[in-house]
Amino acid sequence: MTEFLTSVIRGLGTGSIYTLLGLGFVIIFKSTQVVNFAQPSLMILGAYFTSYFAVTMDLPFALALPAAIIVSAFIGAAVERVALRPMVGEPVFAAAMVTIGVFFALQVVAADLIGLQPRQVGAPWGFGSSAIGGVVFLHRDLAVFVFAAVIVTALVLFFKYSRTGLAMRATAFDQETALAQGIKVGYVFGLSWAIAGGLAAVAGTFVGIGVGVEAGTSFLALKALPAIILGGLDSIPGAVIGGLVIGLAEALTKTYQPDLFPWAGANFDQAVPYIVMLIVLLVRPYGLFGTPEIERV
């Protein structure tokens, strides 16, 4: 039982990172209908700036992380204004292709900034761990779970009670109607990218705790795609549940697969998120909480 609980806590920590990344994908998709493939590069840039402020400038982590969030949010908004705003009215597929180009451009920038050696992010938790009743948990996993819970709560309150949040919800529901009601749709687009950039910075920082960040770390963010496919591309609750489920599936597979299915080979847990994604696409393409698309002919 202690082994099971240890794996569950580990999975919730990893799943919280997927949740933060998935929320960035979902917020942009809800407002613009575009899948943002540049989210992984925003993540690695956010982690770099946390490292820059905390390690290079020697700021306390409590100040370095918010500063990195602000910078990443600005980068996200700038990307939307420069690369995506001109694509309004163009096919969604073309806009998605633009985000792939943005991904590679930002990836080159991140690789130049980071250099050849991994950069530490200066977080106080590192790989420290504690044990209660034989159940071992990393401080990092507990921290990211708490951070994710606070951020999700804040986002829910923002979308439910703030005027800007209501404007974003209206835009997600129907852009033309929102525009007719006087909502600045372009501002909503930029804000959604800024929020996604800030979320990516938090996720990237926690990814880099203990192991450091390097340019290739950005590919880990692709595991958020199975999470949002499972939960639904346009569902914030789906991103939360999908992220946690994918994290748990990966952690439990890593713990039990070597004994139960050794023939599957080493590192099979890394393939589990994508296997789940394929199954969901075959059985329920719009995910657990996504909006089914109905086409009449």
Side-chain angles (χ1 to χ4, degrees):
M1 179 57 75
T2 57
E3 185 180 51
F4 173 77
L5 292 176
T6 297
S7 296
V8 167
I9 294 174
R10 185 75 185 92
L12 290 176
T14 304
S16 297
I17 293 175
Y18 297 157
T19 292
L20 293 173
L21 289 166
L23 285 172
F25 279 102
V26 168
I27 289 173
I28 289 179
F29 183 81
K30 279 177 70 71
S31 61
T32 66
Q33 301 298 305
V34 174
V35 178
N36 173 29
F37 291 103
Q39 192 72 359
S41 55
L42 290 175
M43 181 196 81
I44 201 67
L45 278 175
Y48 165 77
F49 281 110
T50 302
S51 172
Y52 178 79
F53 290 126
V55 179
T56 305
M57 296 186 66
D58 201 26
L59 292 177
F61 183 76
L63 294 178
L65 179 57
I69 292 173
I70 293 172
V71 173
S72 297
F74 177 79
I75 293 173
V79 167
E80 188 281 332
R81 188 66 185 86
V82 174
L84 274 298
R85 189 76 62 87
M87 299 299 295
V88 172
E90 300 295 331
V92 172
F93 174 77
M97 291 297 101
V98 169
T99 68
I100 293 178
V102 171
F103 165 77
F104 284 108
L106 294 181
Q107 187 71 12
V108 171
V109 173
D112 289 340
L113 291 173
I114 293 173
L116 299 178
Q117 300 298 323
R119 291 183 64 109
Q120 298 299 320
V121 295
W125 304 288
F127 265 147
S129 63
S130 298
I132 298 177
V135 178
V136 180
F137 58 89
L138 295 176
H139 298 164
R140 182 188 74 167
D141 291 335
L142 186 61
V144 69
F145 184 77
V146 172
F147 264 75
V150 171
I151 289 172
V152 169
T153 303
L155 284 175
V156 169
L157 295 175
F158 170 73
F159 284 118
K160 191 170 184 179
Y161 296 109
S162 73
R163 290 177 61 87
T164 305
L166 292 173
M168 294 183 72
R169 289 172 59 191
T171 304
F173 184 74
D174 191 318
Q175 293 181 8
E176 293 184 358
T177 303
L179 195 61
Q181 295 297 317
I183 294 174
K184 297 179 180 178
V185 175
Y187 170 75
V188 170
F189 290 170
L191 182 59
S192 65
W193 273 79
I195 294 174
L199 291 170
V202 179
T205 299
F206 279 97
V207 167
I209 291 178
V211 297
V213 293
E214 53 188 350
T217 306
S218 59
F219 291 99
L220 182 143
L222 294 177
K223 288 185 181 176
L225 286 174
I228 59 174
I229 294 296
L230 174 62
L233 268 175
D234 59 349
S235 171
I236 289 178
V240 176
I241 294 174
L244 295 179
V245 169
I246 292 296
L248 286 171
E250 189 176 328
L252 292 173
T253 301
K254 186 173 185 177
T255 301
Y256 295 108
Q257 176 264 326
D259 294 328
L260 298 178
F261 311 104
W263 45 265
N267 297 322
F268 179 71
D269 57 291
Q270 299 298 311
V272 167
Y274 303 103
I275 295 174
V276 173
M277 181 177 72
L278 289 174
I279 295 173
V280 172
L281 286 173
L282 290 172
V283 177
R284 195 178 174 90
Y286 45 86
L288 297 176
F289 303 98
T291 304
E293 290 190 7
I294 301 174
E295 294 185 1
R296 295 182 173 87
V297 295

